[in-house]
Amino acid sequence: TQLLEQSPQFLSIQEGENLTVYCNSSSVFSSLQWYRQEPGEGPVLLVTVVTGGEVKKLKRLTFQFGDARKDSSLHITAAQPGDTGLYLCAGEFGGSQGNLIFGKGTKLSVKP
Amino acid sequence: DAGVTQSPTHLIKTRGQQVTLRCSPKSGHDTVSWYQQALGQGPQFIFQYYEEEERQRGNFPDRFSGHQFPNYSSELNVNALLLGDSALYLCASSADTYYGYTFGSGTRLTVV
């Protein structure tokens, strides 16, 4: 059974600070996706990474996929209150196309 | 362009009853997946439909069943409801999983 572990579980920071959240698995991902979810809403896709070592940037968000494709990180620069939400990583593993395994998420709160 | 539409948004049922949840995928998407998200947890994969067939199934009992129609819309049926079935049920659609999934806002099911 593939499991994703996300850390930290909760993060509360002040506006303007930088932060990094992590997603780890003991299995190799065929692809990994990051989502953000706000209360009462469904997750919204931020990025998909496929290639080991891949780095993708989305404005102030930087996503990195580990060389061995077993881990990923999300770095936010100069966090803003609008970044508040639940950040979920979700992986697809070989032979399980369509079956996204989600972590429990990192709940981020950015205070003005 | 409408994204994924789910109905109803909220539902209260009594233990032992049956429920049907509905999902219309994003225009151009032909694959529909259903997820269950308990409070404080990440979404858990229930099953995926493609070309009106169940393509993959997660670790859920047979009380959970589904259907996909020729217009790609989908239903999730849950029989003999248990208190533990209370959760947010999310529908996600995709055209190519490489590009990730588009989630609906979910149906909040409460079993009393």
Side-chain angles (χ1 to χ4, degrees):
Chain A
T1 303
Q2 295 94 351
L3 287 174
L4 292 189
E5 291 189 0
Q6 288 191 244
S7 61
Q9 191 175 353
F10 298 97
L11 193 54
S12 181
I13 61 172
Q14 293 296 129
E15 182 176 1
E17 291 184 7
N18 301 332
L19 66 115
T20 303
V21 297
Y22 300 92
C23 175
N24 294 284
S25 173
S26 58
S27 300
V28 175
F29 300 106
S30 55
S31 71
L32 186 138
Q33 298 165 16
W34 283 93
Y35 291 82
R36 190 178 88 171
Q37 185 177 24
E38 299 192 32
E41 299 293 325
V44 175
L45 179 68
L46 297 173
V47 76
T48 300
V49 287
V50 177
T51 305
E54 185 175 4
V55 177
K56 283 191 174 180
K57 292 192 176 184
L58 185 66
K59 295 183 182 178
R60 294 177 294 101
L61 278 59
T62 301
F63 304 86
Q64 188 158 7
F65 201 18
D67 290 341
R69 289 165 43 217
K70 289 185 177 182
D71 59 274
S72 180
S73 63
L74 158 60
H75 182 80
I76 301 179
T77 303
Q80 299 176 0
D83 295 327
T84 294
L86 179 68
Y87 288 82
L88 294 158
C89 69
E92 281 187 325
F93 297 89
S96 67
Q97 182 185 11
N99 181 356
L100 271 182
I101 307 293
F102 279 85
K104 291 185 177 182
T106 293
K107 194 168 184 179
L108 172 65
S109 173
V110 182
K111 298 177 181 176
Chain B
D1 174 31
V4 176
T5 305
Q6 291 188 243
S7 63
T9 54
H10 295 83
L11 201 53
I12 299 175
K13 288 286 189 177
T14 303
R15 192 171 44 182
Q17 284 189 313
Q18 177 264 343
V19 69
T20 298
L21 310 182
R22 295 178 175 82
C23 171
S24 292
K26 182 177 179 178
S27 177
H29 287 184
D30 57 5
T31 303
V32 173
S33 302
W34 286 92
Y35 290 81
Q36 180 195 67
Q37 187 175 22
L39 208 58
Q41 302 292 318
Q44 280 199 297
F45 177 74
I46 303 175
F47 42 55
Q48 183 183 80
Y49 278 86
Y50 174 71
E51 293 187 343
E52 302 178 53
E53 300 265 338
E54 182 182 289
R55 182 158 73 173
Q56 286 231 17
R57 188 178 182 93
N59 189 25
F60 278 80
D62 292 344
R63 297 186 298 108
F64 289 77
S65 64
H67 189 78
Q68 186 179 34
F69 300 94
N71 66 353
Y72 307 121
S73 67
S74 178
E75 288 182 350
L76 163 65
N77 301 292
V78 187
N79 294 324
L81 285 166
L82 304 174
L83 297 179
D85 294 332
S86 296
L88 180 67
Y89 288 85
L90 295 163
C91 171
S93 71
S94 63
D96 183 333
T97 59
Y98 173 83
Y99 296 103
Y101 295 79
T102 301
F103 281 82
S105 295
T107 293
R108 171 69 64 186
L109 173 65
T110 302
V111 183
V112 298

